[in-house]
Amino acid sequence: MSFHQIIFDGLERMRERTVLYGDAQQWNGARMLETVEQYRAALSWRGLGIGDSLIWDGEEDGQVLALRLAAMARGCTFVSAPGGAGDAVPVSSSILQDCVDDRGLETQRDELWCYQVRKGAFAWSEDTFSATLSELRATLEEVPRRIAVLAPLSGFGGDLCLAAWSLSAPVHYSGAKQPAGVFAFLERVAADRLIVSDHRLRELLAHPAAVLARCAPLRTLLIESSPGAEENDLESLVASGPLHCEKTVVVVPTDQGFLPTEEAFLRLQQEAQKVEEAAAAHPLVGEVRVLPDGVGKWTLLAVPAEQCPVTEEEGGEDFWNGYVQTRLAAHFTDFDWQAGVSATQRLARIALLSMVNALSRRGVFTERETGYSQQQILACAAERHRPLVSRWLAVLEQQGLLRRHGDGLRVSDRLDDYADAALEQAWDEMESVWREVAGSTGTIEYARENSACLAELLSGQRNAVEVLFPAGRMDLAEALYRESPAARYQHQAVAVLLTEIVAAHEQGDPVRILEVGAGTGATSEVVLPALAGEPVSYLYTDFSRFFLDQAVRRLGNDPRVTFAIYDIDSSPEAQGFSPNDFDVVIGGGVLNAARDTDASVLWLQQLLRPGGWLVITEPTMEEFWVMASQAFMLADASDERAQSGRTFLSLEQWHRVLAQAGLRCVLDLPPSGHPLATLGHRVFAARAKIDRAPLRRTDLERYCRQCLGDVISRVEILDRLPELRTGEPAAAEYGHCI
C-alpha cells in the first residue's frame, strides 16, 4: 500500500472525528478530504503538475495540509515562503478558492502520485518522504493520546500531522506568537507528545512566563533542529525548564530524510565548501562565504579581489576637469556670471539687515547706542532656535553690522538701514535685479516672505516649512533650487559629468544611479534628459513621501526611473539597501542637512561599486540668506559644524570628509578663476574603492548559475566579510541562519 493510501485511509477512518484542533477552527477528516479534492481540482485547472513548485503564502491552518496533499497528488514541489520565492507559483487559499469557484468541484481522484515535497534545501522524493514519515511514526511509538504541534504546518509540523493521521491520531496546533499564549495552550491540551523547532523552544524557555507554566509531563519531545546546533545543549535547556519529558528526540531534516545533527552539519559544510570553491574561481572575486538562506538555497557573500590602486594619472583628473569645464563653458556662453555673483551678494546683504530687523522686532537693538548681552539677545528666540541666533550674531559682527560694546553688542549701522521701510525698498530693487539675472523671482519671493515673518519664526509662532510650502504649493521650493546662478552651474556640471560616465561604461547591465535627497527634482530634471536613450537605471529617493509623490506624477512614465525612501541619517542596510549596488550616487545640496556628515558620506560610499562615483553639490561658505530662511528647518549637527558653529562644512573640511570615507576627489568645481568660486558653492566628484576589482553582482550571479546551477538565491558584494563569533568555525554560522 502506498503511503498516500495510508494517510487517506487514516483520514477516512476519522471522517466524523476531529483530526486537527487549531487556534480558530477545527478540521475533521471529511472536511480535510473534501478540501484536498478542491485543491487538486484547482491545481489541475491551473495546469500545475510534475516539475512545478508551489509556494504557500497563506495561513498556517488545515488548508496548508490539504494543499500539501493536493500538491503531492499533482507531482508538484511545495514550500512555505511568505511573499513567494524564485520562479515558483505563489499560492494562497483565496487564489485557489477562486479557481474552484470558477470551475466547480471535480471529485474524481487523479491516479498520479509523485511525492516532491520541498523541505528547506531540498525536495524529497517519494521514497525519502515515505521513509521519513515512517521514521516519524516510529518516533511517535504507539498511538499518542494527544499531539501538540508548535512547528509550522507548512513544514515540519505538517509532516508530524501526516504521520499522526496515518496512525489515526488527532493533532492540536497553535500558532500563538506570545510565549504566555503558548504555555496556556500546552496546559489546556495536556499533550503527551510535543513537536517544536529549536529556535521556538529557546524563545519559549527564555521567557519569564516559563517559570509559571504548569505543563503536563510528556512522553516524547520532538525537536526540529539545524546543522550546528548542540544536541546536549538542547537537552540541558529542556531539563532546566517547565517541560518534563521521558524522551527527547532531536532531528535535522535533509535531502536524505532526518539525520543526526552532527551528520547533517558535516553534509552542510561539504556543500558550502563546494559552492564557495566554485564562486572563488571567478577572476574578480577575492573572498567568499556562503550561508543557507532558509528556503533551500545559499546566500553568497563575496569581496572583490584587490588590484593595484589607480594612480592619479590613470584616474583621469585632468581629463575630467578639462572635459567638464569645456562642456560647461560651451553651455553657458552668454551667461553673465559676474552679474549673477553680484546679485547673490546683494541678496546676502539684505538677509543680514533682515536679521537685525527681526531681532529689533523681538525687543533688542532698538537703540543704536545701547549694548545688549548675549543672554538678552538669545532670550528673544525660542529655545530651539538659539543656536541659530548665536550663528547670526557671529556673522553680523564679522560683517560689521554689530560691534562690541563692553560685554555686549550694539548695532553699527544707522537704525534706518534695517527699518521696515528700508527693507521693503531693498526687496523691491532685489526683485528687479534678480529678474535680470535669473529670468524669474521665485527665490526672492521666498526670501522676502521669510524676512517679513522672521520675528515670528524666531519666537516659534510661525513654521518655516509653511513659508517654503505655502498652502502646500511647490512653486517657491522649485524656484529656490533652480533659479540661482550657482544652482544652474551645479546641475549642468552633474549632467555633463554623468553623460561621460555613462558613455565610458562597459557594455552590459545598465548604469545604476541613486539620487539621495532628490526633493523637488531640480537635479534629475537636468540629468535625465541629458541621459536620454542611454542604458541607465535611476533610483529617485528622498526622506519625504511628499516629494516622492510629486516625483511620481512627473517621472512615473519614465521606465528608467524607480522611487524609494532614503534617509541620509540612517545606515543603508537598515533601510533595505545593499552595499556595492550602484555605479553613481548623486546628492544635490542634501548632505549639509545630515546630522553627521562623516557617517552619511561613508554610508553612501558603501553603496558604491568599485570604481563608482559619488557626485555631490554643497555650499562651503555661510549663506546669509539661507541662515535667515532654510536654516530654521535644519537639524542640529553632531559633526565638525557643532564645534565650529557653522551652518556648512568648509572646503577643507569637505576634502577631509571625502578622504576619510575612502573616496578620491577627482573633480572640484568651479575652478579658482571662475566668478562663482567666491560664493563657495562646490561640485565634488569622487571615486570609490579604486583598489578593488570591478565585480558586479549580476555578473557573479550569472557565473554561479553556469557553474553550479540554481543553488544561489542571493549574491551580496561586500567590502569585507563579516567577522565570525570568537571560537566558532565558519560553518558554525550556518546553523544560526537556517
Side-chain angles (χ1 to χ4, degrees):
M1 180 182 294
S2 67
F3 205 85
H4 85 274
Q5 289 175 306
I6 296 175
I7 296 173
F8 271 87
D9 285 348
L11 289 173
E12 288 283 2
R13 289 195 300 273
M14 295 193 294
R15 266 189 170 275
E16 305 306 322
R17 294 173 53 196
T18 301
V19 297
L20 178 64
Y21 296 84
D23 291 328
Q25 55 184 322
Q26 299 178 8
W27 291 68
N28 60 28
R31 182 185 177 192
M32 183 63 64
L33 289 168
E34 180 182 2
T35 306
V36 171
E37 296 302 340
Q38 290 177 347
Y39 284 174
R40 291 172 72 183
L43 296 178
S44 176
W45 180 71
R46 289 172 68 100
L48 298 176
I50 297 176
D52 291 317
S53 294
L54 273 75
I55 303 295
W56 175 250
D57 197 18
E59 298 295 327
E60 288 288 331
D61 57 18
Q63 295 181 89
V64 68
L65 295 171
L67 179 59
R68 284 188 71 172
L69 290 171
M72 291 164 61
R74 296 294 303 166
C76 300
T77 59
F78 178 92
V79 67
S80 172
D87 299 326
V89 180
V91 181
S92 68
S93 58
S94 59
I95 294 174
L96 288 172
Q97 191 60 49
D98 290 342
C99 298
V100 173
D101 292 343
D102 289 342
R103 293 284 295 170
L105 296 181
E106 298 181 16
T107 56
Q108 71 274 16
R109 288 188 181 179
D110 298 330
E111 294 304 320
L112 173 64
W113 281 83
C114 178
Y115 304 146
Q116 288 290 305
V117 180
R118 188 175 293 276
K119 290 289 297 181
F122 47 85
W124 277 342
S125 65
E126 177 178 357
D127 291 342
T128 300
F129 187 61
S130 297
T132 298
L133 291 191
S134 296
E135 182 180 342
L136 290 177
R137 293 174 74 206
T139 301
L140 294 174
E141 299 167 345
E142 73 276 6
V143 178
R145 183 176 73 252
R146 289 189 180 90
I147 300 177
V149 175
L150 298 179
L153 297 181
S154 55
F156 184 54
D159 299 335
L160 266 296
C161 287
L162 299 182
W165 294 345
S166 69
L167 295 171
S168 300
V171 176
H172 294 255
Y173 168 76
S174 176
K177 303 298 183 184
Q178 297 300 322
V182 173
F183 285 122
F185 161 76
L186 294 176
E187 292 179 26
R188 182 178 70 255
V189 171
D192 56 348
R193 270 79 166 176
L194 172 62
I195 297 91
V196 65
S197 68
D198 61 351
H199 172 76
R200 186 69 166 136
L201 182 64
R202 294 177 191 277
E203 181 184 67
L204 290 172
L205 298 183
H207 195 272
V211 300
L212 303 175
R214 297 292 183 267
C215 303
L218 297 167
R219 285 285 304 276
T220 305
L221 173 61
L222 192 57
I223 304 173
E224 180 190 23
S225 187
S226 53
E230 289 290 340
E231 190 166 334
N232 292 337
D233 175 54
L234 286 172
E235 292 178 351
S236 300
L237 185 67
V238 171
S240 64
L243 299 177
H244 304 287
C245 54
E246 297 179 10
K247 181 171 69 172
T248 300
V249 179
V250 181
V251 294
V252 178
T254 74
D255 57 350
Q256 300 300 313
F258 288 120
L259 295 176
T261 54
E262 297 83 357
E263 184 177 348
F265 182 43
L266 178 60
R267 292 186 182 213
L268 192 68
Q269 284 182 308
Q270 293 171 342
E271 179 65 21
Q273 183 178 1
K274 174 184 174 183
V275 175
E276 287 177 349
E277 288 175 352
H282 189 288
L284 300 184
V285 170
E287 299 177 89
V288 294
R289 184 182 302 162
V290 294
L291 301 172
D293 65 357
V295 291
K297 298 183 181 180
W298 297 93
T299 293
L300 175 63
L301 311 179
V303 175
E306 294 184 11
Q307 64 178 19
C308 293
V310 178
T311 65
E312 291 191 11
E313 293 75 15
E314 294 171 331
E317 284 86 344
D318 291 340
F319 166 77
W320 292 109
N321 273 281
Y323 173 82
V324 174
Q325 289 185 48
T326 300
R327 293 280 301 275
L328 287 174
H331 183 81
F332 291 110
T333 302
D334 300 324
F335 196 87
D336 188 345
W337 291 114
Q338 198 58 58
V341 171
S342 177
T344 304
Q345 292 172 336
R346 186 168 185 166
L347 175 59
R349 175 68 181 182
I350 299 175
L352 291 171
L353 292 172
S354 297
M355 293 177 194
V356 182
N357 174 274
L359 291 170
S360 69
R361 281 189 280 159
R362 294 295 299 160
V364 295
F365 303 129
T366 56
E367 298 178 7
R368 188 171 184 272
E369 298 302 324
T370 302
Y372 296 85
S373 68
Q374 182 97 350
Q375 184 177 4
Q376 285 178 295
I377 301 170
L378 294 181
C380 77
E383 186 173 352
R384 66 180 180 274
H385 296 319
R386 289 173 187 173
L388 175 60
V389 174
S390 293
R391 297 204 297 275
W392 281 14
L393 299 179
V395 299
L396 287 169
E397 184 179 3
Q398 182 186 43
Q399 296 299 313
L401 274 74
L402 298 180
R403 61 187 177 87
R404 288 285 161 185
H405 180 74
D407 293 333
L409 292 167
R410 70 181 185 185
V411 291
S412 301
D413 288 46
R414 294 178 300 111
L415 296 178
D416 290 346
D417 289 347
Y418 57 86
D420 292 348
L423 280 177
E424 283 296 313
Q425 182 180 348
W427 283 119
D428 288 340
E429 295 171 355
M430 187 70 244
E431 282 194 18
S432 177
V433 170
W434 195 262
R435 185 179 288 106
E436 287 292 322
V437 170
S440 55
T441 59
T443 300
I444 305 306
E445 290 176 34
Y446 168 64
R448 185 172 192 165
E449 178 60 24
N450 268 281
S451 173
C453 64
L454 204 48
E456 288 76 20
L457 290 171
L458 280 176
S459 67
Q461 295 173 307
R462 189 80 183 268
N463 189 319
V465 175
E466 295 173 357
V467 182
L468 182 57
F469 301 98
R473 291 183 2 238
M474 289 275 292
D475 54 319
L476 295 184
E478 289 174 348
L480 183 65
Y481 297 108
R482 290 163 172 79
E483 286 183 350
S484 74
R488 294 184 180 191
Y489 180 92
Q490 290 172 331
H491 299 152
Q492 195 60 41
V494 173
V496 167
L497 177 61
L498 259 67
T499 56
E500 184 58 30
I501 291 174
V502 172
H505 184 72
E506 296 181 2
Q507 294 296 319
D509 297 326
V511 177
R512 284 180 53 78
I513 302 170
L514 166 68
E515 183 178 1
V516 296
T520 64
T523 301
S524 60
E525 74 175 16
V526 179
V527 169
L528 284 171
L531 299 177
E534 298 292 346
V536 299
S537 172
Y538 197 101
L539 182 57
Y540 186 112
T541 72
D542 197 273
F543 179 67
S544 167
R545 174 60 64 183
F546 172 77
F547 283 134
L548 289 184
D549 290 341
Q550 299 292 325
V552 170
R553 294 189 183 96
R554 295 193 314 272
L555 301 171
N557 292 327
D558 190 332
R560 302 172 298 170
V561 184
T562 54
F563 307 89
I565 293 286
Y566 184 87
D567 180 3
I568 58 171
D569 289 323
S570 298
S571 73
E573 182 182 9
Q575 302 178 70
F577 288 82
S578 298
N580 293 276
D581 208 25
F582 293 94
D583 298 292
V584 183
V585 173
I586 304 172
V590 61
L591 289 168
N592 61 75
R595 285 194 297 267
D596 184 342
T597 310
D598 294 282
S600 296
V601 170
L602 181 60
W603 285 328
L604 295 181
Q605 184 263 10
Q606 292 169 359
L607 290 173
L608 286 167
R609 293 166 172 163
W613 291 80
L614 176 65
V615 183
I616 57 175
T617 61
E618 290 292 337
T620 60
M621 298 168 59
E622 292 289 12
E623 285 196 284
F624 304 143
W625 78 272
V626 172
M627 293 179 70
S629 55
Q630 291 170 283
F632 283 94
M633 295 180 281
L634 297 177
D636 292 336
S638 60
D639 52 26
E640 290 185 77
R641 292 168 294 174
Q643 287 75 44
S644 66
R646 293 169 53 90
T647 308
F648 307 117
L649 294 175
S650 67
L651 179 60
E652 179 183 354
Q653 287 171 327
W654 265 113
H655 281 287
R656 185 162 59 248
V657 167
L658 295 173
Q660 288 177 346
L663 294 156
R664 174 184 288 177
C665 190
V666 175
L667 202 62
D668 180 3
L669 295 174
S672 57
H674 197 284
L676 284 180
T678 60
L679 298 181
H681 284 270
R682 310 300 301 177
V683 179
F684 299 110
R687 303 200 71 173
K689 306 163 191 174
I690 55 177
D691 60 344
R692 291 287 177 173
L695 178 65
R696 296 172 68 89
R697 176 172 52 82
T698 51
D699 292 339
L700 186 54
E701 286 174 346
R702 284 191 288 266
Y703 175 85
C704 290
R705 195 174 297 115
Q706 293 172 356
C707 297
L708 299 166
D710 189 24
V711 302
I712 303 293
S713 62
R714 188 173 78 256
V715 171
E716 291 189 20
I717 309 298
L718 306 179
D719 296 330
R720 62 184 62 83
L721 294 178
E723 294 183 5
L724 298 175
R725 287 189 285 269
T726 304
E728 277 192 307
E733 291 288 301
Y734 304 147
H736 300 282
C737 299
I738 291 182

mmCIF file of all heavy atoms in Angstrom, residues 8 16-17 29 57 82 86 93 108 142-143 170 183 188 367 419 425 440 475 478 497 624:
data_model
loop_
_atom_site.group_PDB
_atom_site.id
_atom_site.type_symbol
_atom_site.label_atom_id
_atom_site.label_comp_id
_atom_site.label_asym_id
_atom_site.label_seq_id
_atom_site.Cartn_x
_atom_site.Cartn_y
_atom_site.Cartn_z
ATOM 1 N N PHE A 8 -4.660 8.559 3.569
ATOM 2 C CA PHE A 8 -6.074 8.739 3.255
ATOM 3 C C PHE A 8 -6.943 7.726 3.991
ATOM 4 O O PHE A 8 -8.068 8.047 4.391
ATOM 5 C CB PHE A 8 -6.304 8.645 1.739
ATOM 6 C CG PHE A 8 -6.156 9.965 1.056
ATOM 7 C CD1 PHE A 8 -4.923 10.399 0.625
ATOM 8 C CD2 PHE A 8 -7.251 10.789 0.868
ATOM 9 C CE1 PHE A 8 -4.774 11.619 0.010
ATOM 10 C CE2 PHE A 8 -7.118 12.015 0.254
ATOM 11 C CZ PHE A 8 -5.875 12.432 -0.179
ATOM 12 N N GLU A 16 -15.630 11.423 10.813
ATOM 13 C CA GLU A 16 -16.516 12.143 11.733
ATOM 14 C C GLU A 16 -15.773 12.643 12.967
ATOM 15 O O GLU A 16 -16.384 13.251 13.843
ATOM 16 C CB GLU A 16 -17.673 11.227 12.160
ATOM 17 C CG GLU A 16 -18.454 10.635 11.002
ATOM 18 C CD GLU A 16 -18.971 11.703 10.051
ATOM 19 O OE1 GLU A 16 -19.388 12.775 10.553
ATOM 20 O OE2 GLU A 16 -18.959 11.483 8.824
ATOM 21 N N ARG A 17 -14.484 12.399 13.040
ATOM 22 C CA ARG A 17 -13.712 12.847 14.197
ATOM 23 C C ARG A 17 -12.833 14.034 13.826
ATOM 24 O O ARG A 17 -12.478 14.234 12.667
ATOM 25 C CB ARG A 17 -12.815 11.714 14.710
ATOM 26 C CG ARG A 17 -13.580 10.541 15.290
ATOM 27 C CD ARG A 17 -12.612 9.409 15.599
ATOM 28 N NE ARG A 17 -11.498 9.866 16.451
ATOM 29 C CZ ARG A 17 -10.376 9.178 16.619
ATOM 30 N NH1 ARG A 17 -10.212 8.015 15.989
ATOM 31 N NH2 ARG A 17 -9.428 9.632 17.410
ATOM 32 N N GLY A 29 -11.985 14.725 9.500
ATOM 33 C CA GLY A 29 -11.466 14.002 8.351
ATOM 34 C C GLY A 29 -12.226 14.292 7.077
ATOM 35 O O GLY A 29 -11.635 14.426 5.997
ATOM 36 N N ASP A 57 1.514 30.747 0.646
ATOM 37 C CA ASP A 57 1.538 32.133 1.093
ATOM 38 C C ASP A 57 0.322 32.437 1.959
ATOM 39 O O ASP A 57 -0.088 33.583 2.079
ATOM 40 C CB ASP A 57 1.543 33.059 -0.134
ATOM 41 C CG ASP A 57 1.976 34.474 0.216
ATOM 42 O OD1 ASP A 57 2.580 34.649 1.274
ATOM 43 O OD2 ASP A 57 1.675 35.386 -0.568
ATOM 44 N N PRO A 82 6.413 33.093 2.714
ATOM 45 C CA PRO A 82 5.513 34.234 2.564
ATOM 46 C C PRO A 82 6.052 35.250 1.564
ATOM 47 O O PRO A 82 7.216 35.622 1.608
ATOM 48 C CB PRO A 82 5.457 34.831 3.970
ATOM 49 C CG PRO A 82 5.740 33.677 4.865
ATOM 50 C CD PRO A 82 6.732 32.821 4.120
ATOM 51 N N GLY A 86 11.558 32.998 -5.880
ATOM 52 C CA GLY A 86 12.071 32.488 -7.133
ATOM 53 C C GLY A 86 11.017 32.456 -8.225
ATOM 54 O O GLY A 86 10.184 33.343 -8.377
ATOM 55 N N SER A 93 -4.865 30.441 -0.047
ATOM 56 C CA SER A 93 -6.175 29.808 -0.041
ATOM 57 C C SER A 93 -7.173 30.580 -0.887
ATOM 58 O O SER A 93 -8.007 29.993 -1.575
ATOM 59 C CB SER A 93 -6.678 29.683 1.394
ATOM 60 O OG SER A 93 -6.725 30.969 2.001
ATOM 61 N N GLN A 108 -13.428 13.478 -8.905
ATOM 62 C CA GLN A 108 -12.656 12.275 -9.173
ATOM 63 C C GLN A 108 -11.205 12.460 -8.743
ATOM 64 O O GLN A 108 -10.656 13.535 -8.861
ATOM 65 C CB GLN A 108 -12.703 11.898 -10.668
ATOM 66 C CG GLN A 108 -11.924 12.840 -11.584
ATOM 67 C CD GLN A 108 -12.765 14.033 -12.012
ATOM 68 O OE1 GLN A 108 -13.787 14.309 -11.419
ATOM 69 N NE2 GLN A 108 -12.312 14.727 -13.037
ATOM 70 N N GLU A 142 3.508 4.044 19.994
ATOM 71 C CA GLU A 142 2.094 3.662 19.914
ATOM 72 C C GLU A 142 1.241 4.908 19.696
ATOM 73 O O GLU A 142 1.705 6.028 19.834
ATOM 74 C CB GLU A 142 1.662 2.920 21.182
ATOM 75 C CG GLU A 142 1.507 3.811 22.412
ATOM 76 C CD GLU A 142 2.817 4.053 23.138
ATOM 77 O OE1 GLU A 142 3.864 3.614 22.614
ATOM 78 O OE2 GLU A 142 2.786 4.659 24.208
ATOM 79 N N VAL A 143 -0.010 4.715 19.355
ATOM 80 C CA VAL A 143 -0.903 5.828 19.056
ATOM 81 C C VAL A 143 -0.919 6.801 20.232
ATOM 82 O O VAL A 143 -1.253 6.413 21.357
ATOM 83 C CB VAL A 143 -2.336 5.338 18.764
ATOM 84 C CG1 VAL A 143 -3.259 6.533 18.503
ATOM 85 C CG2 VAL A 143 -2.324 4.392 17.570
ATOM 86 N N PRO A 170 -5.325 12.364 16.344
ATOM 87 C CA PRO A 170 -5.587 13.785 16.116
ATOM 88 C C PRO A 170 -4.388 14.636 16.532
ATOM 89 O O PRO A 170 -3.493 14.176 17.244
ATOM 90 C CB PRO A 170 -6.796 14.061 17.001
ATOM 91 C CG PRO A 170 -6.627 13.101 18.130
ATOM 92 C CD PRO A 170 -6.015 11.854 17.534
ATOM 93 N N PHE A 183 2.148 28.709 26.423
ATOM 94 C CA PHE A 183 2.099 27.911 27.654
ATOM 95 C C PHE A 183 0.648 27.642 28.066
ATOM 96 O O PHE A 183 0.331 26.566 28.576
ATOM 97 C CB PHE A 183 2.863 28.621 28.771
ATOM 98 C CG PHE A 183 4.356 28.540 28.614
ATOM 99 C CD1 PHE A 183 5.133 29.690 28.526
ATOM 100 C CD2 PHE A 183 5.000 27.305 28.546
ATOM 101 C CE1 PHE A 183 6.502 29.621 28.382
ATOM 102 C CE2 PHE A 183 6.374 27.230 28.399
ATOM 103 C CZ PHE A 183 7.129 28.386 28.310
ATOM 104 N N ARG A 188 -3.674 23.637 28.548
ATOM 105 C CA ARG A 188 -5.039 23.261 28.197
ATOM 106 C C ARG A 188 -5.082 21.912 27.468
ATOM 107 O O ARG A 188 -5.945 21.082 27.726
ATOM 108 C CB ARG A 188 -5.650 24.354 27.319
ATOM 109 C CG ARG A 188 -7.101 24.096 26.925
ATOM 110 C CD ARG A 188 -7.672 25.229 26.098
ATOM 111 N NE ARG A 188 -7.090 25.310 24.766
ATOM 112 C CZ ARG A 188 -6.214 26.216 24.378
ATOM 113 N NH1 ARG A 188 -5.793 27.141 25.231
ATOM 114 N NH2 ARG A 188 -5.740 26.216 23.146
ATOM 115 N N GLU A 367 17.881 100.559 20.003
ATOM 116 C CA GLU A 367 18.576 101.834 20.157
ATOM 117 C C GLU A 367 20.026 101.656 19.747
ATOM 118 O O GLU A 367 20.686 100.699 20.154
ATOM 119 C CB GLU A 367 18.484 102.323 21.600
ATOM 120 C CG GLU A 367 17.052 102.580 22.074
ATOM 121 C CD GLU A 367 17.011 103.028 23.527
ATOM 122 O OE1 GLU A 367 18.100 103.261 24.093
ATOM 123 O OE2 GLU A 367 15.904 103.137 24.083
ATOM 124 N N ALA A 419 15.268 99.327 9.018
ATOM 125 C CA ALA A 419 13.868 99.607 9.320
ATOM 126 C C ALA A 419 12.973 98.948 8.275
ATOM 127 O O ALA A 419 13.423 98.602 7.172
ATOM 128 C CB ALA A 419 13.625 101.116 9.350
ATOM 129 N N GLN A 425 11.987 98.644 0.377
ATOM 130 C CA GLN A 425 12.606 99.217 -0.817
ATOM 131 C C GLN A 425 13.739 98.319 -1.329
ATOM 132 O O GLN A 425 13.885 98.105 -2.539
ATOM 133 C CB GLN A 425 13.142 100.620 -0.516
ATOM 134 C CG GLN A 425 13.772 101.297 -1.732
ATOM 135 C CD GLN A 425 14.287 102.688 -1.421
ATOM 136 O OE1 GLN A 425 13.988 103.258 -0.368
ATOM 137 N NE2 GLN A 425 15.056 103.263 -2.329
ATOM 138 N N SER A 440 13.292 85.045 -13.453
ATOM 139 C CA SER A 440 12.109 84.882 -12.608
ATOM 140 C C SER A 440 12.500 85.278 -11.191
ATOM 141 O O SER A 440 13.678 85.509 -10.902
ATOM 142 C CB SER A 440 11.598 83.442 -12.651
ATOM 143 O OG SER A 440 12.632 82.530 -12.309
ATOM 144 N N ASP A 475 5.759 75.851 -5.820
ATOM 145 C CA ASP A 475 6.417 76.766 -6.747
ATOM 146 C C ASP A 475 7.622 77.479 -6.140
ATOM 147 O O ASP A 475 8.660 77.638 -6.798
ATOM 148 C CB ASP A 475 5.421 77.782 -7.305
ATOM 149 C CG ASP A 475 4.680 78.524 -6.195
ATOM 150 O OD1 ASP A 475 4.297 77.887 -5.201
ATOM 151 O OD2 ASP A 475 4.482 79.748 -6.325
ATOM 152 N N GLU A 478 10.492 74.935 -5.735
ATOM 153 C CA GLU A 478 11.054 74.595 -7.044
ATOM 154 C C GLU A 478 11.955 75.709 -7.557
ATOM 155 O O GLU A 478 13.032 75.459 -8.101
ATOM 156 C CB GLU A 478 9.919 74.301 -8.024
ATOM 157 C CG GLU A 478 9.198 72.990 -7.728
ATOM 158 C CD GLU A 478 7.986 72.782 -8.612
ATOM 159 O OE1 GLU A 478 7.576 73.750 -9.288
ATOM 160 O OE2 GLU A 478 7.434 71.662 -8.611
ATOM 161 N N LEU A 497 28.950 65.579 -16.413
ATOM 162 C CA LEU A 497 29.795 64.510 -15.878
ATOM 163 C C LEU A 497 29.146 63.148 -16.068
ATOM 164 O O LEU A 497 29.799 62.187 -16.485
ATOM 165 C CB LEU A 497 30.066 64.770 -14.401
ATOM 166 C CG LEU A 497 30.888 63.709 -13.662
ATOM 167 C CD1 LEU A 497 32.272 63.576 -14.270
ATOM 168 C CD2 LEU A 497 30.984 64.048 -12.174
ATOM 169 N N PHE A 624 24.156 83.807 3.941
ATOM 170 C CA PHE A 624 23.405 84.588 4.923
ATOM 171 C C PHE A 624 21.903 84.511 4.698
ATOM 172 O O PHE A 624 21.129 84.466 5.658
ATOM 173 C CB PHE A 624 23.890 86.041 4.902
ATOM 174 C CG PHE A 624 25.367 86.184 5.146
ATOM 175 C CD1 PHE A 624 26.115 87.145 4.482
ATOM 176 C CD2 PHE A 624 26.030 85.343 6.038
ATOM 177 C CE1 PHE A 624 27.477 87.272 4.696
ATOM 178 C CE2 PHE A 624 27.386 85.457 6.265
ATOM 179 C CZ PHE A 624 28.113 86.425 5.589
#
